[in-house]
Amino acid sequence: MHVSREELDNQAIEILKKYEGVKLTPKTRGEIPVQEMPTQAPMVRITNMNEVAEGYTENQVKAEALRCLQCKNEPCIQGCPVGINIPKFIAEAAKGEYSAANSVIKESSLLPSICGRVCPQESQCQKFCTVGKIKKDVNQAVAIGRIERFVADYSRENDCDVQPTIKAETGKKVAIIGSGPASVAAAADLRKEGHSVVMFEALHKAGGVLVYGIPEFRLPKKLVQHEINNLIAMGVELNLNYLVGKTRTIEKLMTTDGFDAVFVGAGAGLPKFMNIPGENLIGVFSANEFLTRSNLMKAYDQKDSLTPLWNCERAAIFGGGNVAMDAARTAKRLGAKEVTVIYRRSEEELPARKEEFEHAKEEGINFLLLHQPHEIIGNDKSHVTSVKVVTCELGEPDASGRRSPVEIPGTEQILAFDTVVVSIGNSSNPLIKQTTEGIETNKRGNFIVNEETLETTLPGVYAGGDIVLGAATVILAMGQGRKAAKAINKYLTK
Ligand code: FAD
Ligand code: SF4
Ligand code: SF4
């Protein structure tokens, strides 16, 4: 049952009253229930694009912080890819010192209000939390990400965010390709060292997947714009609509335009398709196109958008990852009467975060599990009319360790749909590799780099984020941007 933010706040107030002045032991801390994240009610939120998770109240933050045992061995820190001092920032939050808590986080992470929202915490920091381990349930761990989100939002909204200091100008110039989290982190760290930094972004808006992929209802775009504005205020020059490899090559940037080093954070934006009949019919989208048109090109505005998405009634989403959940929930908000996620394995193997899966179910998304699409069928105008699927059962585990789907002969059926969104993963765009001599990639098209420095096989050119890792996470991309910036700084000042 949906519980309102006000009710959750009242529950937190009761907890704070109960424990006021009480010397807390690990046992009493363990009795405090995990604070639920307030959300918009499901039937309300499918009618708007506003953020689903409304954020903890201050009382909830204090109540949740009481649950932290301040473990001496700090296991949670090893689960955070950038090593945030989690016990220290939670201790500050428990005292109501949110700005100090934010400063602790900012020593390691540049984008806490973003990571506090989108990090898969249950498989990172919270997976290692002692409280979750004692309770044998990761969902009972201290809600590190939710506290992180609160302190970062508080600091931004109250103008007490950490202000970066910029060292004296070095006269060195660095080109940053792309403007996703890897590039934002690299640009900020290099600018702080006093280098001149110019960012080149192919799209008309900066932010990478944070703006074109992750929908507004999970990550408000004003937060991303705030980080981009910070970069500009630091003196980073931003060039939009600039496709490196077409507008200019890396070689020209380095030999003609005077850049001393280059960081490539071009992401993994090339959608994969299933290669089944009918994928070129009208009404079939890649998740990338579907989400980009909705997020960046206002395609939901059927009347005034130059590139509106068509009015879909029954949408099928192929795939079971986070991107599939985003596409399904976006389709619902765009007015689809029925949205069905078709995934070939069972719920246990579904790669999407549990929270996203639960949110999707609450919003009325259907899940057709253990089914594999075989063909997309169209009418004489080449519009999608249906999808042929076959039922699967689970066989032996495959290379990924998950049980593989085995099709059951004779179980084909045809289901009516007018829209299909293929959401089965992305790979790196080959443009930069194709136009840059000396850059080598592995068989998946990811840049090969020195693991210590993130330098590519072309001297002076570094890379990080999804272009190296394959489709990964925001925090991993940000961590690589920082790591590369450190190495680039060393390269430029040696
Ligand atoms: P990107 O964010 O992909 O940015 C790359 C940028 O480079 C883009 O703006 C692109 O236009 C630009 N570019 C590419 N080629 C060129 C060129 N030749 N010249 C100039 N510019 C170029 N991760 C999470 O942690 N949590 C989530 O909840 C989550 N949800 C996701 C939902 C979706 C729909 C998608 C697609 C991904 C999601 N991810 C999530 C993954 C995460 O967003 C990525 O791992 C992360 O953004 C990668 O950062 P990046 O900086 O490497 O690249
Ligand atoms: Fe956890 Fe992500 Fe924050 Fe690290 S950045 S503490 S992994 S939520
Ligand atoms: Fe607190 Fe959990 Fe980290 Fe222990 S492991 S310090 S309880 S957040």
Side-chain angles (χ1 to χ4, degrees):
M1 199 194 65
H2 181 258
V3 184
S4 72
R5 190 166 193 253
E6 199 183 357
E7 178 55 26
L8 292 171
D9 189 44
N10 286 336
Q11 291 171 9
I13 293 171
E14 289 308 314
I15 291 169
L16 294 175
K17 270 195 208 146
K18 181 172 170 189
Y19 292 102
E20 198 179 356
V22 175
K23 189 161 169 23
L24 290 170
T25 62
K27 186 168 176 293
T28 45
R29 287 184 194 276
E31 286 163 5
I32 301 171
V34 66
Q35 296 298 298
E36 207 180 296
M37 173 58 92
T39 57
Q40 283 194 70
M43 289 308 120
V44 175
R45 67 191 192 226
I46 57 170
T47 63
N48 65 55
M49 283 283 175
N50 300 339
E51 198 172 8
V52 168
E54 296 170 315
Y56 272 174
T57 66
E58 190 170 355
N59 292 313
Q60 283 189 289
V61 169
K62 288 188 172 154
E64 187 62 29
L66 288 183
R67 300 180 70 237
C68 174
L69 306 175
Q70 291 293 313
C71 311
K72 288 278 171 294
N73 57 344
E74 304 172 330
C76 46
I77 299 182
Q78 57 171 291
C80 171
V82 296
I84 292 176
N85 192 332
I86 296 165
K88 194 169 168 193
F89 95 71
I90 294 184
E92 294 292 355
K95 290 185 279 180
E97 299 289 347
Y98 307 121
S99 172
N102 188 51
S103 301
V104 173
I105 300 171
K106 283 270 172 121
E107 285 165 19
S108 315
S109 169
L110 277 172
L111 308 169
S113 61
I114 293 172
C115 295
R117 285 172 165 80
V118 303
C119 254
Q121 291 114 10
E122 65 284 357
S123 56
Q124 296 182 339
C125 52
Q126 289 172 205
K127 182 177 168 189
F128 292 80
C129 173
T130 312
V131 177
K133 290 246 160 84
I134 294 170
K135 292 183 180 287
K136 295 191 175 57
D137 179 0
V138 71
N139 299 312
Q140 294 295 315
V142 175
I144 301 166
R146 294 173 184 175
I147 303 177
E148 179 175 327
R149 165 186 165 152
F150 178 91
V151 299
D153 285 356
Y154 177 94
S155 302
R156 188 187 62 257
E157 285 159 11
N158 292 283
D159 277 337
C160 52
D161 213 344
V162 185
Q163 292 310 320
T165 43
I166 314 280
K167 291 187 185 163
E169 300 293 333
T170 61
K172 300 283 183 191
K173 243 173 111 178
V174 188
I176 307 278
I177 302 173
S179 63
S183 299
V184 168
D189 281 1
L190 286 162
R191 183 65 199 124
K192 281 188 218 160
E193 292 297 333
H195 307 305
S196 159
V197 178
V198 185
M199 193 177 244
F200 299 99
E201 167 55 51
L203 297 174
H204 63 280
K205 255 201 180 138
V209 170
L210 306 180
V211 290
Y212 80 72
I214 304 180
E216 175 78 14
F217 57 81
R218 281 210 298 126
L219 179 64
K221 302 306 154 223
K222 66 173 191 222
L223 299 181
V224 185
Q225 194 54 49
H226 177 81
E227 300 303 338
I228 300 296
N229 292 347
N230 281 347
L231 279 187
I232 294 169
M234 287 167 73
V236 172
E237 186 185 322
L238 177 60
N239 282 302
L240 298 172
N241 300 310
Y242 198 112
L243 183 63
V244 175
K246 285 267 187 235
T247 320
R248 206 91 171 130
T249 59
I250 287 189
E251 194 209 339
K252 279 267 180 330
L253 289 172
M254 295 185 88
T255 54
T256 312
D257 301 341
F259 285 97
D260 300 289
V262 174
F263 172 78
V264 185
L270 188 69
K272 290 183 187 160
F273 281 91
M274 297 191 62
N275 295 323
I276 57 173
E279 273 184 310
N280 55 357
L281 288 168
I282 299 168
V284 180
F285 302 85
S286 69
N288 252 28
E289 181 190 348
F290 192 73
L291 291 169
T292 304
R293 283 174 62 179
S294 167
N295 286 333
L296 267 191
M297 300 161 82
K298 299 195 168 72
Y300 49 83
D301 187 348
Q302 302 264 344
K303 239 175 53 221
D304 293 325
S305 171
L306 290 175
T307 54
L309 272 168
W310 74 353
N311 211 348
C312 63
E313 295 269 316
R314 290 170 62 88
I317 317 293
F318 295 175
N322 290 317
V323 180
M325 300 304 122
D326 283 344
R329 298 171 72 197
T330 297
K332 192 85 190 173
R333 283 160 176 77
L334 292 179
K337 304 251 178 331
E338 244 186 270
V339 182
T340 305
V341 171
I342 303 179
Y343 176 59
R344 60 195 180 140
R345 291 183 166 96
S346 74
E347 185 178 326
E348 204 170 309
E349 293 80 26
L350 200 88
R353 290 183 70 189
K354 193 167 179 336
E355 183 179 292
E356 303 307 328
F357 173 59
E358 293 299 335
H359 278 165
K361 279 199 305 190
E362 285 168 9
E363 290 169 11
I365 308 292
N366 307 319
F367 284 83
L368 186 62
L369 302 173
L370 288 166
H371 279 79
Q372 169 87 323
H374 260 201
E375 184 182 348
I376 306 168
I377 299 162
N379 60 17
D380 55 359
K381 294 198 174 73
S382 295
H383 284 191
V384 174
T385 55
S386 55
V387 174
K388 188 195 274 181
V389 295
V390 63
T391 310
C392 300
E393 60 188 354
L394 291 177
E396 293 302 310
D398 61 13
S400 71
R402 292 173 302 168
R403 291 182 66 190
S404 50
V406 180
E407 295 179 2
I408 306 172
T411 57
E412 287 85 0
Q413 53 179 318
I414 292 177
L415 306 170
F417 291 107
D418 56 23
T419 305
V420 169
V421 183
V422 183
S423 178
I424 57 162
N426 282 332
S427 54
S428 306
N429 189 308
L431 179 64
I432 294 183
K433 148 90 179 137
Q434 283 164 357
T435 55
T436 318
E437 211 174 306
I439 285 197
E440 282 171 29
T441 57
N442 64 20
K443 62 177 189 296
R444 289 187 301 278
N446 302 330
F447 282 19
I448 293 172
V449 292
N450 172 321
E451 281 192 14
E452 293 304 312
T453 61
L454 300 186
E455 191 171 24
T456 65
T457 45
L458 184 61
V461 178
Y462 295 72
D466 281 5
I467 188 94
V468 171
L469 300 165
T473 61
V474 173
I475 189 75
L476 283 171
M478 195 198 78
Q480 284 217 319
R482 300 203 78 185
K483 190 171 175 183
K486 212 166 161 189
I488 294 172
N489 184 46
K490 210 163 160 192
Y491 170 81
L492 293 176
T493 52
K494 76 179 170 214

